Amino acid sequence: MILDRLKMHKVLVTSIATLSLAVGFSAADAYAEVKTLSYAAANPPGPSGINNTLKWWAEKIREQTDGALAIEFFHMGSLVKLKDALEGVSSGVADIAYVIPAYTPSRLPLWNIATTSQGPADEWIAVESWSRIRDNTPAIEVEERRNNLKYIGHYSLGPVVLLSRDRPYLSPDDFNGDKVRLPGSYARAAREQGWDVTSVNLTFSDVYTGLERGTIDGTMTYMGHIPTYRHHEVASHLVEPDVGQNMNTIVMNRDTWDGLSAEEQAVFDALRDELLQRLAKGNIEERQTVREQLKTDPENPVQFHAIDDAQRGQWERGMSRATTEKVAQSTKYAPTATGINERYMGMLEQVEQEIANRGYPWETR
């Protein structure tokens, strides 16, 4: 069973040298009792918009609990594999983890709506919009509690981009029968719209080899993942459809949460708003930095291809169909999903207008 395998994996991981990015202990802390909470992550360690923010967050928790709490990060699925993250944190194998709701749509049908294949390609707009929806939708917290979870925060990986070997995919018409790694929503859109593409399911760690050997011709990915996994070494054309977002949620095991003092719980809750802003700001800035790095890479430059309104419209129509099907799937498990999604779409428009008028919150502080 998954749970037994996860528990055995935890014993193995904690018995060897950890691959974690941990908040260090000072000499003064050596005699203090410190409660260390594990954080399971699938992404690599090292500097990134997400990792830098989580390091700041862990330091704040340590500081504001007077050293009573520490966060230890287990990267690259070394504690819990990403596809098992929900079960891992729900069961307590990991104290904290980030979860991709799309991997478990029957258990997190409302959270699955947070990942949208429509709307603006801006991390903060999506994060803030979903935050407002969640805070005013008790059914979402019920869903969290049903899975033994305490909500800590959420962040968007940003919009998907299309990276390809031999030619750019300016619109779905350009697939021309190619073999392309497509995530769930895009695979659904390809099926619904009849795109001439062979959808391939690969993990990020296998994409490099697939592109290098030509077993796949392209991949949908995220800007920040390209240099991390060195995919620009084996593919050189990039298109940004600028449609939708992919949302992850950061959750804590509910029993772990209940074991914290009221003061410790208050520290997590008080840090939430700044955590969300820093995660979004870090990803937005990282996307721009990576874009310039890829364009000017001396050995493996990537050619960026602009698309026009008609081409973007083709992507949007395809993703609209995919969203309709996904929401219908969520409704099977949560009848309120359709109404929540409609409110979410409206909130995306509202927040987008607010940002256009006033800018990002970190710009106006």
Side-chain angles (χ1 to χ4, degrees):
M1 294 178 62
I2 290 177
L3 180 55
D4 293 335
R5 177 162 52 84
L6 289 171
K7 288 179 177 177
M8 291 176 63
H9 187 59
K10 182 178 183 182
V11 171
L12 175 62
V13 169
T14 54
S15 67
I16 63 176
T18 182
L19 296 176
S20 65
L21 171 65
V23 178
F25 296 92
S26 69
D29 292 328
Y31 302 101
E33 185 170 348
V34 178
K35 183 184 296 184
T36 300
L37 305 180
S38 59
Y39 184 113
N43 61 305
S48 71
I50 293 171
N51 287 349
N52 293 345
T53 297
L54 290 176
K55 182 175 184 292
W56 164 86
W57 174 70
E59 290 170 347
K60 284 294 184 182
I61 290 170
R62 182 67 178 271
E63 173 189 314
Q64 294 183 19
T65 60
D66 295 324
L69 293 181
I71 309 294
E72 186 175 13
F73 294 91
F74 293 82
H75 289 279
M76 300 294 288
S78 58
L79 180 57
V80 174
K81 300 300 181 185
L82 184 57
K83 63 183 178 63
D84 299 327
L86 175 58
E87 184 64 37
V89 70
S90 179
S91 66
V93 173
D95 294 308
I96 309 170
Y98 77 78
V99 171
I100 298 179
Y103 282 175
T104 52
S106 63
R107 291 183 61 178
L108 297 173
L110 298 182
W111 260 104
N112 193 30
I113 294 172
T115 290
T116 172
S117 305
Q118 299 172 270
D122 181 287
E123 288 87 334
W124 175 247
I125 292 173
V127 166
E128 173 63 8
S129 296
W130 183 253
S131 184
R132 296 181 190 182
I133 294 298
R134 181 198 170 274
D135 289 350
N136 291 282
T137 308
I140 297 177
E141 184 176 356
V142 170
E143 179 175 283
E144 295 160 2
R145 285 181 174 271
R146 187 169 59 244
N147 286 281
N148 201 33
L149 306 176
K150 160 63 182 175
Y151 165 77
I152 300 298
H154 61 281
Y155 62 92
S156 170
L157 290 176
V160 298
V161 299
L162 295 100
L163 186 68
S164 48
R165 284 164 37 101
D166 301 321
R167 65 180 187 280
Y169 302 137
L170 302 177
S171 78
D173 293 338
D174 294 319
F175 282 133
N176 291 334
D178 279 3
K179 300 180 293 296
V180 181
R181 177 193 173 275
L182 298 177
S185 293
Y186 277 83
R188 189 178 296 116
R191 182 177 64 253
E192 290 290 322
Q193 295 292 94
W195 295 345
D196 184 16
V197 61
T198 299
S199 176
V200 179
N201 184 15
L202 284 178
T203 64
F204 276 111
S205 58
D206 294 325
V207 169
Y208 186 101
T209 301
L211 288 168
E212 183 179 40
R213 295 178 178 176
T215 53
I216 61 172
D217 303 293
T219 180
M220 286 191 169
T221 183
Y222 302 94
M223 192 75 75
H225 285 11
I226 296 172
T228 299
Y229 292 93
R230 300 184 295 116
H231 292 162
H232 60 299
E233 296 178 0
V234 288
S236 57
H237 296 279
L238 191 145
V239 172
E240 299 177 80
D242 282 342
V243 178
Q245 302 281 310
N246 193 320
M247 198 76 72
N248 293 345
T249 178
I250 302 172
V251 288
M252 182 183 292
N253 173 271
R254 173 64 63 170
D255 299 323
T256 299
W257 175 259
D258 290 341
L260 301 179
S261 69
E263 292 77 14
E264 290 167 343
Q265 292 177 350
V267 168
F268 281 94
D269 288 340
L271 286 171
R272 171 191 151 178
D273 289 349
E274 188 168 1
L275 174 64
L276 298 186
Q277 289 187 24
R278 283 177 175 263
L279 284 168
K281 180 174 183 287
N283 270 359
I284 290 170
E285 293 175 346
E286 182 181 39
R287 253 200 310 144
Q288 182 58 36
T289 298
V290 169
R291 187 182 288 110
E292 296 307 313
Q293 288 176 345
L294 293 175
K295 287 179 180 179
T296 59
D297 188 287
E299 296 181 1
N300 300 290
V302 173
Q303 185 176 355
F304 282 65
H305 300 268
I307 61 176
D308 58 32
D309 290 342
Q311 291 163 333
R312 180 168 287 106
Q314 286 184 269
W315 293 116
E316 289 176 341
R317 284 191 294 275
M319 301 320 296
S320 175
R321 288 283 298 275
T323 297
T324 299
E325 183 179 319
K326 184 183 75 172
V327 173
Q329 181 188 40
S330 291
T331 303
K332 295 178 182 178
Y333 306 103
T336 58
T338 299
I340 292 172
N341 185 68
E342 290 174 354
R343 288 166 47 210
Y344 185 30
M345 292 297 104
M347 190 63 72
L348 286 167
E349 294 181 4
Q350 178 180 323
V351 176
E352 183 176 27
Q353 189 59 54
E354 291 174 10
I355 300 304
N357 293 338
R358 300 196 295 268
Y360 295 110
W362 54 84
E363 295 173 335
T364 57
R365 283 200 296 249

